[in-house]
């Protein structure tokens, strides 16, 4: 009886590990290898970044999105060199929608720089065309001037949480 129990329990362990491993493989999505179809050659290096900085704690939570739709994240101390980790990627159509929406928000909101102890921000960076845009606002205040950027921030966070 003891040998039969060991044999059955051994098979159960192997079956459980196999099921767990195959479940992990089927849920893993491969990272994209090409840029989104809405991106022109001059836009290949666009980065969209957003996050929250805390001046009193000297910490930052940052997300960045590249033209492949890859989302990276960093949470930790404010530093000149930030080591981001791959988080997830969004579908090309979702990326195109996100990039267009952020671009439109920056066209509507020409300047926004209001800090508190904490600051939320969105950056739109295209090094090949020398475009560096940054909007910053106090997340503790819901002002008229920050309404478009707050909506963009919430939309970007929804996409990250969706995937």
């Amino acid at each position: 009886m003891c040998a039969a129990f060991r044999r059955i329990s051994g098979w159960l362990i192997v079956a459980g590990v196999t099921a767990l491993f195959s479940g992990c493989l089927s849920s893993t999505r491969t990272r994209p290898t090409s840029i989104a179809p809405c991106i022109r050659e001059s836009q290949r290096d666009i980065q969209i970044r957003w996050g929250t900085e805390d001046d009193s704690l000297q910490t930052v939570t940052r997300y960045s999105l590249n033209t492949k739709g890859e989302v990276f994240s960093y949470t930790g101390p404010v530093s000149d060199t930030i080591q981001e980790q791959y988080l997830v990627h969004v579908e090309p159509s979702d990326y195109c929608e996100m990039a267009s929406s952020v671009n439109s928000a920056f066209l509507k909101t020409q300047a926004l720089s209001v800090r508190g102890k904490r600051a939320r921000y969105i950056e739109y960076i295209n090094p090949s065309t020398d475009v560096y845009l940054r909007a910053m606002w106090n997340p503790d205040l819901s002002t008229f001037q920050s309404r478009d950027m707050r909506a963009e921030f919430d939309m970007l966070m929804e996409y990250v949480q969706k995937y």
Side-chain angles (χ1 to χ4, degrees), residues 51-109:
T52 305
E53 297 174 347
D54 190 317
D55 286 345
S56 60
L57 298 175
Q58 292 296 304
T59 60
V60 64
T61 297
R62 179 173 104 175
Y63 299 92
S64 64
L65 174 67
N66 64 22
T67 55
K68 292 180 184 178
E70 296 174 308
V71 179
F72 297 87
S73 69
Y74 170 80
T75 299
V78 174
S79 172
D80 290 338
T81 57
I82 290 179
Q83 192 69 2
E84 296 180 317
Q85 293 183 322
Y86 174 76
L87 186 61
V88 69
H89 71 271
V90 298
E91 295 300 320
S93 61
D94 289 339
Y95 170 82
C96 293
E97 184 179 320
M98 294 164 77
S100 175
S101 185
V102 168
N103 190 16
S104 294
F106 271 106
L107 291 175
K108 283 195 277 184
T109 310

Side-chain angles (χ1 to χ4, degrees), residues 4-159:
F5 177 74
R6 274 189 252 150
R7 194 174 2 192
I8 291 172
S9 64
W11 282 107
L12 288 174
I13 290 172
V14 170
V17 169
T18 303
L20 180 65
F21 184 68
S22 65
C24 289
L25 285 178
S26 65
S27 67
T28 302
R29 296 171 44 198
T30 58
R31 287 174 67 172
T33 57
S34 60
I35 61 172
C38 59
I39 298 298
R40 295 187 307 267
E41 186 61 36
S42 64
Q43 299 174 317
R44 293 181 77 81
D45 297 327
I46 287 176
Q47 287 282 316
I48 297 173
R49 295 181 187 148
W50 68 98
T52 305
E53 297 174 347
D54 190 317
D55 286 345
S56 60
L57 298 175
Q58 292 296 304
T59 60
V60 64
T61 297
R62 179 173 104 175
Y63 299 92
S64 64
L65 174 67
N66 64 22
T67 55
K68 292 180 184 178
E70 296 174 308
V71 179
F72 297 87
S73 69
Y74 170 80
T75 299
V78 174
S79 172
D80 290 338
T81 57
I82 290 179
Q83 192 69 2
E84 296 180 317
Q85 293 183 322
Y86 174 76
L87 186 61
V88 69
H89 71 271
V90 298
E91 295 300 320
S93 61
D94 289 339
Y95 170 82
C96 293
E97 184 179 320
M98 294 164 77
S100 175
S101 185
V102 168
N103 190 16
S104 294
F106 271 106
L107 291 175
K108 283 195 277 184
T109 310
Q110 295 294 314
L112 180 62
S113 182
V114 181
R115 287 191 75 98
K117 290 181 186 175
R118 293 183 317 137
R120 289 247 164 94
Y121 66 92
I122 298 177
E123 298 174 329
Y124 182 91
I125 302 166
N126 187 350
S128 64
T129 58
D130 247 1
V131 173
Y132 297 90
L133 304 172
R134 181 178 172 107
M136 184 181 317
W137 65 96
N138 183 341
D140 299 323
L141 302 174
S142 295
T143 63
F144 179 77
Q145 293 83 4
S146 67
R147 73 187 182 288
D148 293 326
M149 288 301 173
R150 283 185 284 119
E152 290 303 313
F153 186 92
D154 292 343
M155 182 260 316
L156 290 166
M157 290 306 295
E158 282 179 29
Y159 275 109

